[in-house]
Amino acid sequence: QLICSHMPWSNDTFGICHVASDPHYTSFDGVSFQFESPCTYVMSKVCDESGLLPEFAVEVQNEKKGESHVSSIQQVNVNVHGLRVTMMRTEKKKVM
């Protein structure tokens, strides 16, 4: 479930979201998740109905590995200012 809420900003406030394969996710608030279904997950997204902030979203696409019950990260999409940057597991050292 994606929930957006206001966080007061200061110079020492920031967050880190971590994603590791086989699929381990840690959210900005430090909570760990395991999303094992082959699906596309939204990792980060601007939630600003005023339109003052630029469009920004990070999506992670999981796919099953062979006969395994566990999926792994196959693709990461970064959408910013109407552009999509894609990094694929099968395309090493390339950003599209």
Side-chain angles (χ1 to χ4, degrees), residues 35-81:
F35 295 119
E36 297 180 3
S37 298
C39 194
T40 300
Y41 297 97
V42 176
M43 298 306 300
S44 182
K45 179 179 178 179
V46 169
C47 296
D48 176 41
E49 294 180 11
S50 73
L52 297 175
L53 296 174
E55 173 197 347
F56 175 80
V58 178
E59 304 166 343
V60 176
Q61 183 178 352
N62 286 356
E63 293 180 1
K64 283 198 178 222
K65 297 187 293 185
E67 297 297 318
S68 173
H69 296 298
V70 178
S71 61
S72 66
I73 299 165
Q74 298 300 314
Q75 183 171 320
V76 175
N77 299 315
V78 178
N79 302 306
V80 62
H81 292 292

